[in-house]
Amino acid sequence: MSGLAILSLAISLAVTPLSATAGQKNWSVDLGRYNLNAGHENASRNHKPTILVAATNGAVAVAWGTLAHPAEPGVPDNWWSKPWEVNLLLFDANNGKLKAKSGPWSSDFSFELYPTAKGNFLLFLRHFHDAKQNPGETLYLLSSSGKELKKLDLLPSIRGSKPSWNEFLVSSSGGTVLLGQILEDGVHYRLLESDTLETKLEWTREAGSDSPGIVALSDKELLGFHNVKNQEKPGLAGSERDVYVRSFDGPWRPLHATLDVSSHGGLGQGLHPTQLAFLSDSVIVGVNAKRKELEGSILVLQSDGTVLSPLVIPKLPDHTNLTGPVAVSTGGRYFAVGFQHQPWMSHLLVDVMTMDITFWNDDSLFLIWEASNPEPVARIPMGTDVRALSLAPDDPPTLAFVSGSSLKVVHFQVKTSARDAH
């Protein structure tokens, strides 16, 4: 008798959005054609290339970073302490044709890429391990064709007498950049206009200040948090965090909502951005920190604490969890939230004759909502090796993401609601 395989339950979702229509301009590109292998890491390496995506109405940008001088086969790469090279590909958002290729730029393993409000791109590079440059960071403003429009060289923060990363955030609209340089006397903040890199406002958070740490911003307000102290173990921070909000030049005020700020950036952008974002200047969308069930696990609220209409989460396959990230289109009209399907036995495949065990990756799924509609307007399965994504402000909107070695773009139509039809 041949070996019997017990296969885990798999999710089977149509690739069409909830309100599918004919004539969608979906496309995909094999990035391997451009010497970018985004799939499984080489057996002699201990990392994958870093890949980021940023989408606008006219272009989809893909940035990837690799070691400038990889180690010999069989020798592990110290990828976190060696200089990298970053390249940029720009594709036409409508048909996937390559528009331009830019780079390489010198960087470290962590860098960031964002679309701006006017259809340009921000490329933020960190270079602390390149002997040819002084430690610091560089912010590039690039056109939709990859042309350098402006560049800012930034001095590093100083932590423990050593150069370190600055704080760097971009508003959901793509209109504002926040830079924070940590020095002995405190954190020096600058707000920049994204499409000019001109300074709009500056202030300092003095050393020892009890001001909240900033985790997100709109073009008018900031969102921050304080760790809630563990009463049983005062020396340890609890898992909960108090959330605060303020205008750029106003005082912090508590936001009485249980938002999850446990993930607020991490190492690079990728698929690990914050679990919350500003949907507009004063409307926030985020994950409920005290969620137990999927229903009610996503909150949309005004920055004064008023909770707006609860979102409807449709019936999803068993063992599907809300994992994030929360992504907002630069126009603020649409937002997406990530889920992962973890089927029976976590995709465990067992051959009982050989006891060979294989684990499969979980399937990623994104639900997309229109800001004015509690019902999701699209449900897009994205596969098992999703590396990066970006939600563009198109009408109809566009979701661009990298799965394996493929860049995929999905344009989806949104049905006119009954109330709009009258």
Side-chain angles (χ1 to χ4, degrees), residues 248-417:
F248 287 160
D249 57 356
W252 288 102
R253 61 185 189 274
L255 180 63
H256 300 293
T258 57
L259 291 173
D260 183 355
V261 293
S262 60
S263 173
H264 57 281
L267 297 180
Q269 181 188 4
L271 277 185
H272 305 285
T274 178
Q275 295 288 68
L276 51 83
F278 277 95
L279 192 55
S280 65
D281 285 340
S282 58
V283 176
I284 300 161
V285 57
V287 174
N288 187 344
K290 295 184 178 180
R291 66 189 185 276
K292 293 182 179 179
E293 305 293 338
L294 285 183
E295 196 66 31
S297 60
I298 304 171
L299 298 177
V300 179
L301 64 155
Q302 294 176 347
S303 59
D304 63 3
T306 303
V307 178
L308 304 179
S309 300
L311 297 180
V312 175
I313 299 179
K315 175 65 177 176
L316 299 175
D318 292 341
H319 306 291
T320 298
N321 299 317
L322 191 160
T323 57
V326 174
V328 175
S329 69
T330 52
R333 183 176 175 183
Y334 300 96
F335 65 92
V337 180
F339 296 78
Q340 278 195 341
H341 178 57
Q342 300 170 323
W344 179 66
M345 296 183 71
S346 297
H347 281 248
L348 177 63
L349 180 64
V350 183
D351 189 313
V352 297
M353 298 298 291
T354 64
M355 293 307 296
D356 187 21
I357 299 176
T358 302
F359 288 93
W360 294 354
N361 292 326
D362 298 321
D363 293 291
S364 296
L365 164 71
F366 271 75
L367 295 180
I368 299 177
W369 283 267
E370 190 175 11
S372 59
N373 190 350
E375 299 274 353
V377 297
R379 181 173 72 176
I380 302 179
M382 300 170 70
T384 60
D385 188 21
V386 181
R387 307 292 304 281
L389 67 96
S390 181
L391 191 61
D394 290 341
D395 193 6
T398 298
L399 180 67
F401 63 97
V402 172
S403 178
S405 295
S406 296
L407 168 64
K408 299 182 180 182
V409 171
V410 178
H411 299 268
F412 52 93
Q413 298 286 345
V414 177
K415 285 194 298 186
T416 302
S417 64

Side-chain angles (χ1 to χ4, degrees), residues 86 98 120 192 215 224 308 385 389 404 420:
V86 174
L98 182 67
N120 296 310
L192 310 179
V215 295
L308 304 179
D385 188 21
L389 67 96
D420 293 335

